Amino acid sequence: MEYLGELILIAVGAAIINNFVLYSFVGICPFIGVSRRVDTAFGMGCAVTFVITIAALLSWTFTYYILRPGAPLTAWVWHLVNPDAKGAVDLTILSYIVYIFVIASSVQLVEMYVRKFFPPLYKSFGVFLPLITTNCAILFACLEIMKHVAGASDPSKVWDLGRSLTLAIFGGVGFTIAIVIMAGIRQDLDNCDVPKALRGAGITLIVAGILSLAFMGFAGVNTQLVVLMGGAK
Amino acid sequence: MTWLIVILATGTMLVLAVFMTYVLGWANRTFHVEVDPRIDAVNEALPGANCSGCGYVGCNEYAEAVVAGEVPIDKCTVGGVSCAAALAKILGVELDRSWPYRPVVHCGATYEDRLGRNDYRGEHTCTAANVVAGVQGCTYSCLGFEDCVGACEFDAIHMVEGLAVVDYQKCVGCGACERICPRHIITMVPFKKERMLAVTCCNKDFGKDVKAVCKVGCIGCKACGRASKLFGFEDDNVPVLDYEKYDPEQMDELQVALEKCPQKRLLVVGKPSERDLAATAGEEVGEILQPDFKTTVDDTKWHG
């Protein structure tokens, strides 16, 4: 039950309170670029959620078994080379390059797989996949997961796969919420008399800023959630 | 210790790289989808702008449709004739003479000619004004709120006294104005010559109703239809010029229709040809008769 409560907190935190786009300001390029129409925005959101989940799955595996200090696989190789070594090997310096590498190649793989076995799916969001291979929102999710896997001092607080995937999926859901709201506003903006100097990118960025301010209002929801779930801290 | 970390890190990356290379190489062969090589070739020949001017989402979609034989090969307005020729070579088909498409505004009424205009204080876009009833009498005509002017990337369409006028010197035929016009009074027409005949009205009503809302609108007398077979009436009163059969070189038959038209709604639009310029070099009247402000009495009629 406690575990489930934690998952709910992570999910709400990733999707709404610390929304990737509107709180951490990552993934701005697709957020501005593909938010002209609601249906394409929704497609983009789904594609990001999909890729983020796969990237999180792989990056968690790599971080947990290879990169973090005292990772089992590295420690085993380390002991093969140097049987009487002391202390854990820390390969977290490799995190960025490994994540980019893993995300890019796994998206390639998934694209080929989907193209072969699910042509309709490929048609609907195949065009978005190459666009988001090295998107910062996805790298951000991986780094966030790394922070909790490699950075945790207490071994019991090291995130397992379930928590990492929850963060990734709901981070993607939060991205979808943000981009769909944005697309809806921009569609209505088409019928508005925007001052000439602000047309185009200007008004879009202003709208994004106001939307971000609105989402700041969710701060503090998590403490109330903790109280509601009976876990007074 | 530091050196060992470096070696370990390098080793990890190397192992990862080799592993991923093999996985991707294997996947590339296993998940290979047989694609018609012509689609790739067509993709290469297309501009790759994904402007959807052809009516498809992107160049790739259009390439697939072209190879499947669903659409003509000359639909790419950005690539133009050279692109169509390249596609014809790839697909091994004969390229019909393909014409550059240019927009034609099917309305010729300036603010003065449009009757029943009311003060409109809503959003100054045609899209918004089109939703509201009673902005002006004619429900077919140009609204004059410059949606097309804003859509044009090439500064090739302007408002002249409330009427959209295409600058054919600058126009490249991307079709943006055609797509944005909420009243659909702009159509893309194959310009077989620099100057083309156009029906500059699209009011589908009859005589009296048109007269009530417009000084210059087509009254549906169908005189042009009797004079020439090129004018069709698709259950409407307003004539539609058959551009497939229209040959600008043979204007004799059409000249009769032009003269018969009581409202002078059949106009020749486009760049002035060399011959026209030479013919009118000595005269002061242009294609569009502007009111002459030198005299106090203005008896010049607007002819379009």
Side-chain angles (χ1 to χ4, degrees):
Chain A
M1 191 59 211
E2 205 170 285
Y3 183 66
L4 191 70
E6 204 185 332
L7 286 191
I8 292 174
L9 275 185
I10 292 172
V12 174
I16 295 172
I17 305 166
N18 299 337
N19 189 296
F20 280 19
V21 181
L22 299 173
Y23 183 84
S24 309
F25 307 124
V26 290
I28 297 288
C29 13
F31 180 65
I32 300 292
V34 200
S35 58
R36 254 173 229 287
R37 276 171 42 220
V38 171
D39 49 345
T40 47
F42 186 72
M44 187 70 185
C46 288
V48 165
T49 312
F50 181 65
V51 171
I52 256 185
T53 312
I54 287 163
L57 175 71
L58 286 167
S59 70
W60 180 85
T61 315
F62 277 97
T63 319
Y64 194 84
Y65 290 106
I66 297 174
L67 297 181
R68 74 184 170 117
L73 213 64
T74 327
W76 179 70
V77 175
W78 185 236
H79 278 285
L80 275 187
V81 183
N82 194 356
D84 40 61
K86 288 189 184 95
V89 191
D90 184 4
L91 281 183
T92 41
I93 43 160
L94 286 179
S95 54
Y96 278 81
I97 191 163
V98 166
Y99 293 158
I100 291 173
F101 190 81
V102 163
I103 294 166
S105 44
S106 65
V107 169
Q108 272 292 315
L109 191 69
V110 167
E111 195 188 342
M112 287 185 225
Y113 182 78
V114 168
R115 191 173 187 189
K116 173 87 178 173
F117 294 108
F118 307 99
L121 194 68
Y122 179 78
K123 252 193 153 41
S124 60
F125 67 70
V127 283
F128 299 122
L129 282 179
L131 286 177
I132 49 181
T133 40
T134 48
N135 186 284
C136 49
I138 290 145
L139 188 63
F140 176 77
C142 294
L143 290 173
E144 198 74 352
I145 290 164
M146 186 201 83
K147 211 162 73 186
H148 289 285
V149 175
S153 49
D154 183 3
S156 66
K157 285 210 172 133
V158 170
W159 274 19
D160 60 351
L161 187 59
R163 288 173 214 168
S164 309
L165 281 184
T166 312
L167 176 93
I169 293 170
F170 283 91
V173 169
F175 180 87
T176 314
I177 292 173
I179 198 171
V180 166
I181 292 177
M182 186 68 185
I185 294 176
R186 282 183 76 178
Q187 271 189 339
D188 277 356
L189 263 185
D190 286 348
N191 290 336
C192 289
D193 188 18
V194 180
K196 209 161 195 175
L198 291 179
R199 274 179 206 169
I203 193 74
T204 313
L205 288 174
I206 290 172
V207 167
I210 294 171
L211 208 55
S212 171
L213 278 179
F215 263 70
M216 294 289 171
F218 284 113
V221 170
N222 46 354
T223 49
Q224 274 301 312
L225 266 180
V226 172
V227 174
L228 270 182
M229 286 187 293
K233 272 185 186 171
Chain B
M1 182 70 184
T2 322
W3 279 109
L4 281 170
I5 290 274
V6 171
I7 290 166
L8 209 55
T10 323
T12 313
M13 287 313 295
L14 268 179
V15 169
L16 256 181
V18 170
F19 174 69
M20 276 301 181
T21 315
Y22 268 95
V23 168
L24 283 182
W26 166 81
N28 198 17
R29 230 174 317 129
T30 318
F31 300 144
H32 186 67
V33 183
E34 280 301 324
V35 186
D36 195 329
R38 289 182 301 171
I39 291 180
D40 286 333
V42 169
N43 250 330
E44 284 289 306
L46 288 171
N50 293 325
C51 68
S52 61
C54 52
Y56 286 85
V57 182
C59 292
N60 192 35
E61 307 263 310
Y62 178 61
E64 279 171 18
V66 163
V67 173
E70 291 164 11
V71 281
I73 55 173
D74 56 355
K75 283 282 171 226
C76 183
T77 50
V78 178
V81 182
S82 62
C83 175
L87 296 197
K89 209 172 159 193
I90 293 164
L91 299 174
V93 291
E94 283 284 309
L95 173 65
D96 301 332
R97 180 77 201 274
S98 99
W99 309 104
Y101 276 73
R102 294 288 181 267
V104 160
V105 182
H106 292 287
C107 178
T110 57
Y111 279 146
E112 247 177 53
D113 303 317
R114 286 180 234 153
L115 306 176
R117 282 181 59 77
N118 291 307
D119 193 10
Y120 171 71
R121 289 189 187 158
E123 302 296 348
H124 271 248
T125 62
C126 303
T127 319
N130 191 32
V131 185
V132 188
V135 177
Q136 60 192 26
C138 184
T139 51
Y140 301 93
S141 74
C142 180
L143 281 158
F145 290 119
E146 305 199 338
D147 276 18
C148 47
V149 178
C152 183
E153 302 272 336
F154 303 93
D155 190 33
I157 191 162
H158 298 103
M159 283 295 154
V160 178
E161 290 175 38
L163 175 66
V165 175
V166 181
D167 182 349
Y168 291 95
Q169 305 272 2
K170 289 181 183 166
C171 184
V172 300
C174 69
C177 48
E178 183 203 18
R179 286 193 293 276
I180 200 143
C181 182
R183 291 193 157 180
H184 306 292
I185 61 166
I186 305 178
T187 53
M188 300 302 283
V189 161
F191 263 53
K192 301 184 177 176
K193 218 183 158 201
E194 290 219 316
R195 295 171 56 70
M196 290 287 287
L197 194 66
V199 182
T200 58
C201 183
C202 54
N203 195 322
K204 291 176 183 170
D205 294 335
F206 202 69
K208 205 179 154 198
D209 297 332
V210 179
K211 283 277 188 188
V213 295
C214 185
K215 287 185 193 166
V216 296
C218 166
I219 52 172
C221 65
K222 300 186 182 175
C224 49
R226 286 189 292 277
S228 166
K229 286 202 177 77
L230 288 177
F231 294 98
F233 296 88
E234 293 167 354
D235 305 325
D236 293 321
N237 295 312
V238 64
V240 175
L241 181 57
D242 188 351
Y243 283 103
E244 294 276 311
K245 292 177 191 151
Y246 168 59
D247 183 1
E249 303 294 336
Q250 292 167 358
M251 285 289 285
D252 302 341
E253 185 186 10
L254 285 167
Q255 203 65 43
V256 184
L258 253 67
E259 278 159 19
K260 282 266 169 73
C261 181
Q263 295 287 75
K264 297 282 174 276
R265 280 304 81 210
L266 303 172
L267 297 178
V268 182
V269 296
K271 295 177 196 168
S273 67
E274 297 277 323
R275 214 178 58 197
D276 281 348
L277 287 176
T280 56
E283 299 173 29
E284 282 182 10
V285 278
E287 182 70 29
I288 296 173
L289 291 180
Q290 299 287 358
D292 187 0
F293 293 112
K294 282 174 198 162
T295 57
T296 47
V297 183
D298 178 18
D299 56 352
T300 36
K301 269 189 187 162
W302 189 83
H303 287 269

